[in-house]
């Protein structure tokens, strides 16, 4: 059942990301996104699995976008998330500044459904504080909220009748 599946992801993301530092949380979120992008692709054509798995994350996003499986705005946000993840991967000790995070959250807020207003709240909380850690402490929203909204929408795209 879909809702159960949803909750498993949600719970996984909340617990794993909220108990982690930013780097770990971001990598975990990115892994779940990568898994769901693959679901989107496999639902469209399972024969493409091997080809799809051979692509970089960026090319996977471009492919599902070019096939019309996700809209341009969503693809653009996924590319932004991936760019930030690559910085973490290639620049040891990289910490995105508040401005970079606000831009990413704002972009996602405008392109994902934000069912639970998590992105809206996260954007507000981070605007009022100095860091994601402080936003989490003061307002109870954090990085998990970003990834949860992304995951909700990707699950919908993965479930679409093609």
């Amino acid at each position: 059942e879909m809702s159960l599946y949803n909750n498993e992801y949600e719970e996984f993301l909340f617990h794993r990301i909220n108990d982690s530092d930013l780097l770990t949380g971001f990598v975990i979120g990115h892994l779940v996104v990568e898994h769901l992008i693959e679901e989107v692709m496999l639902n469209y054509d399972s024969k493409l699995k091997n080809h799809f798995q051979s692509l970089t994350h960026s090319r996977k996003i471009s492919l599902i976008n070019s096939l019309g499986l996700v809209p341009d705005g969503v693809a653009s946000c996924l590319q932004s998330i991936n760019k930030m993840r690559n910085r973490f991967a290639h620049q040891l000790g990289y910490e995105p500044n508040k401005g970079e995070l606000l831009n990413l959250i704002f972009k996602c807020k405008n392109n994902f459904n934000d069912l639970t207003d998590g992105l809206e709240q996260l954007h507000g909380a981070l605007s009022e504080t100095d860091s994601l850690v402080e936003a989490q402490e003061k307002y109870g929203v954090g990085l998990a909220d970003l990834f949860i909204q992304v995951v909700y929408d990707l699950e919908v795209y993965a479930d679409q009748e093609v």
Side-chain angles (χ1 to χ4, degrees):
E1 183 185 272
M2 200 59 208
S3 65
L4 187 71
Y5 189 56
N6 250 342
N7 294 342
E8 271 176 38
Y9 269 123
E10 193 173 341
E11 218 154 276
F12 176 78
L13 284 168
F14 260 131
H15 294 303
R16 292 298 299 270
I17 292 178
N18 283 350
D19 296 338
S20 302
D21 57 66
L22 189 57
L23 163 65
T24 311
F26 212 90
V27 169
I28 291 167
H30 189 275
L31 285 170
V32 174
V33 166
E34 186 144 36
H35 172 73
L36 280 163
I37 287 173
E38 196 164 293
E39 295 279 305
V40 170
M41 187 71 224
L42 294 181
N43 184 53
Y44 171 74
D45 185 352
S46 57
K47 292 191 291 296
L48 291 172
K49 182 171 186 168
N50 285 345
H51 169 64
F52 195 69
Q53 286 178 336
S54 74
L55 301 175
T56 64
H57 190 77
S58 177
R59 286 184 186 274
K60 287 176 182 175
I61 297 165
S62 298
L63 179 56
I64 61 172
N65 180 221
S66 67
L67 292 168
L69 303 177
V70 297
D72 293 349
V74 165
S76 174
C77 288
L78 293 173
Q79 294 288 12
S80 296
I81 288 171
N82 188 50
K83 282 194 187 99
M84 192 172 276
R85 196 225 48 130
N86 286 343
R87 287 212 190 116
F88 277 114
H90 302 300
Q91 299 174 26
L92 221 52
Y94 166 74
E95 283 277 330
N97 63 40
K98 180 175 158 172
E100 288 174 292
L101 288 166
L102 282 173
N103 284 343
L104 180 63
I105 294 160
F106 187 72
K107 193 173 187 180
C108 290
K109 184 166 82 75
N110 289 338
N111 288 288
F112 290 91
N113 284 316
D114 201 16
L115 290 172
T116 60
D117 287 336
L119 292 171
E120 188 77 56
Q121 289 170 22
L122 182 57
H123 194 268
L126 185 56
S127 301
E128 298 291 318
T129 54
D130 292 331
S131 67
L132 276 175
V133 172
E134 202 184 320
Q136 180 85 51
E137 284 167 0
K138 271 194 177 167
Y139 297 98
V141 287
L143 189 63
D145 295 276
L146 170 68
F147 282 108
I148 281 166
Q149 298 306 326
V150 172
V151 162
Y152 273 143
D153 277 26
L154 286 177
E155 287 188 310
V156 172
Y157 294 125
D159 253 24
Q160 274 169 3
E161 292 305 313
V162 187

